Amino acid sequence: MNGKKYKRAITYGTYDLFHIGHLRLLKRIAEMAEELYVAVSSDEFNALKGKKCIVPFEYRKEIVESLRMVTKVIREDNWEQKKDDVQKYDCDLFVMGSDWTGKFDFLKDYCEVIYLPRTEGISTTEIKQEIKDH
């Protein structure tokens, strides 16, 4: 056994201005599962969430796909698809950052749900603000 507790993990994110916090979160998830599926939010879905991306979806997807710990990248188009994705891709682990704690507990009927702590001192929102201030 390779020491990994789960067969397939899935996580979701925008991954705009890909930074060390994104990388560390994905590495931690990959250490827990044999495979890591990552859903990248589409530009249209981000617009519905009130988020404006600097980097277009196709580029964000390509960046995440290039990471060796990522098995597969899928497109996220709406809030409701999470349950369907967990079932469709036979995921036994769902992981999000701790800023989402409790929001996806409804998925516990289908898989393990874990919220991991965010990397201290970095976020895309803070980076965008820093750029704006300069």
Side-chain angles (χ1 to χ4, degrees), residues 19 25 28 97-100 116-125:
H19 56 68
L25 181 66
R28 283 186 286 168
S98 57
D99 50 327
W100 291 97
L116 292 176
R118 294 175 56 101
T119 302
E120 289 293 318
I122 188 157
S123 76
T124 304
T125 304

Side-chain angles (χ1 to χ4, degrees), residues 27-43:
K27 278 183 171 179
R28 283 186 286 168
I29 299 168
E31 289 170 0
M32 301 166 74
E34 293 173 26
E35 296 182 347
L36 172 57
Y37 281 36
V38 179
V40 176
S41 300
S42 67
D43 295 332

Side-chain angles (χ1 to χ4, degrees), residues 2-95:
N2 61 14
K4 298 197 179 192
K5 185 174 176 184
Y6 300 94
K7 179 185 169 204
R8 185 171 298 134
I10 191 165
T11 191
Y12 291 74
T14 299
Y15 305 101
D16 197 19
L17 303 180
F18 195 90
H19 56 68
I20 194 68
H22 295 135
L23 183 63
R24 288 178 180 167
L25 181 66
L26 294 175
K27 278 183 171 179
R28 283 186 286 168
I29 299 168
E31 289 170 0
M32 301 166 74
E34 293 173 26
E35 296 182 347
L36 172 57
Y37 281 36
V38 179
V40 176
S41 300
S42 67
D43 295 332
E44 296 80 6
F45 184 42
N46 280 320
L48 289 175
K49 294 188 282 186
K51 289 174 114 177
K52 171 80 172 99
C53 283
I54 305 298
V55 180
F57 169 77
E58 287 301 326
Y59 295 171
R60 292 183 285 114
K61 179 178 182 279
E62 187 176 335
I63 290 166
V64 175
E65 281 175 334
S66 74
L67 301 170
R68 67 176 167 248
M69 80 279 282
V70 174
T71 307
K72 182 177 182 68
V73 174
I74 61 173
R75 179 184 170 109
E76 181 187 27
D77 287 308
N78 58 69
W79 292 110
E80 296 76 29
Q81 83 180 64
K82 289 176 178 63
K83 179 177 82 72
D84 293 338
D85 289 345
V86 165
Q87 293 177 307
K88 176 180 179 180
Y89 297 112
D90 194 28
C91 298
D92 55 346
L93 177 62
F94 175 93
V95 182

